[in-house]
Amino acid sequence: MLWRIASVAVVAQLLPYGVDGSVSSLLAALHNRARKDESMDALSGITPNDLWGVHDLLLVGYGGVFMKLDTPGALEVKQAAVELAKLLPQLHPVSECRAAISEVLDSNTEDQAMVSAAAEASWKCLPAAKDTPEFKDAMWSPFTEASLWDNMKAFASRMTEPRHSDILGQCQDSGWKRTCSYWSSLHLMAYRADVLKLGAEFLRAVFPLLASGVTMCGGCTLHFRAIHKPVLSPALESDFGSIF
């Protein structure tokens, strides 16, 4: 997946779209691109509600669920989640979310508070939150701030998904709705990162999260780490702990 995240091939096509506009304009650009590339057709079906997983990219990511606690590797992962939160006012595909996240970041300076506030804002800015404003009420087995320090609560949240899948677009029929949301969110944010020349910063923020268990899938994480072993930092490699 990482080669798709890092892709710069669509920059020229997307420059007129989606940077300062709405997610619909970005998706329109992707749809036009998909006509030339069938492998990208799935992207054109993404809706704003499919991006609910940004919440978990931040919060589960900050938790570093497969890292050994209180190690340099765990701290590296936490810092990556903070850096992703700081990038979202520029990279989130939904303009309302960029504004909402920017606002909460301005009023929170401590790392965990910043990530938690950005995670909550990334849900409340979506259309579905108008009916269920609290993330914990909208999801089955949600990963909350309390899960950061309680491994049993974290384990119980390994299959978080919306209570009402009909709010989703491309991810509605997925059996792995969190992973589908990650896929959707990462791809759309990658395109914005390319256009805004933030690709390197985006990869540096996302890579440690994927290598430390943000998918909450042990096999997925082990495969990701095996494929990218040459570029794992020493701390990410040595401080990896147990998987679910």
Side-chain angles (χ1 to χ4, degrees):
M1 182 173 67
L2 201 59
W3 69 271
R4 294 295 299 274
I5 298 174
S7 170
V8 295
V10 297
V11 173
Q13 288 87 344
L14 295 180
L15 279 172
Y17 307 95
V19 178
D20 296 314
S22 66
V23 69
S24 60
S25 62
L26 177 57
L27 292 175
L30 293 173
H31 181 70
N32 290 334
R33 174 74 180 178
R35 294 174 183 172
K36 302 177 183 179
D37 183 353
E38 291 183 2
S39 68
M40 294 180 63
D41 189 55
L43 292 175
S44 64
I46 298 170
T47 66
N49 286 336
D50 284 317
L51 309 181
W52 68 268
V54 171
H55 174 282
D56 282 8
L57 277 172
L58 292 170
L59 207 56
V60 180
Y62 188 83
V65 292
F66 293 161
M67 301 299 293
K68 296 175 184 175
L69 292 176
D70 302 321
T71 59
L75 292 176
E76 180 180 337
V77 172
K78 290 183 187 301
Q79 188 57 42
V82 172
E83 293 306 314
L84 179 60
K86 291 178 179 178
L87 286 169
L88 288 179
Q90 294 173 279
L91 298 188
H92 199 292
V94 179
S95 58
E96 294 86 351
C97 294
R98 295 196 294 272
I101 294 169
S102 178
E103 183 177 347
V104 299
L105 291 182
D106 287 341
S107 56
N108 290 274
T109 56
E110 189 272 327
D111 284 355
Q112 183 177 325
M114 186 185 304
V115 169
S116 181
E120 281 299 313
S122 74
W123 165 252
K124 290 184 177 180
C125 64
L126 299 179
K130 293 178 181 178
D131 295 323
T132 314
E134 296 301 321
F135 182 82
K136 63 182 177 62
D137 297 329
M139 300 290 152
W140 293 111
S141 303
F143 191 100
T144 66
E145 198 167 3
S147 306
L148 290 174
W149 314 115
D150 187 324
N151 200 50
M152 292 303 295
K153 288 182 178 178
F155 178 78
S157 302
R158 67 195 183 281
M159 291 295 288
T160 299
E161 64 177 63
R163 290 180 180 272
H164 304 291
S165 61
D166 58 356
I167 67 171
L168 304 176
Q170 186 64 44
C171 296
Q172 183 170 343
D173 296 325
S174 172
W176 297 81
K177 289 182 172 57
R178 175 195 270 138
T179 304
C180 181
S181 181
Y182 285 176
W183 180 90
S184 302
S185 303
L186 290 171
H187 278 73
L188 293 189
M189 288 192 289
Y191 289 125
R192 287 188 59 85
D194 282 341
V195 172
L196 296 171
K197 302 187 185 305
L198 292 170
E201 292 87 342
F202 179 63
L203 281 174
R204 282 196 295 267
V206 167
F207 187 92
L209 307 183
L210 293 170
S212 61
V214 74
T215 61
M216 303 190 83
C217 166
C220 305
T221 305
L222 291 175
H223 280 95
F224 182 89
R225 292 174 61 88
I227 292 169
H228 299 98
K229 182 178 175 63
V231 292
L232 288 176
S233 72
L236 275 177
E237 186 166 6
S238 64
D239 295 335
F240 191 66
S242 301
I243 62 174
F244 292 154

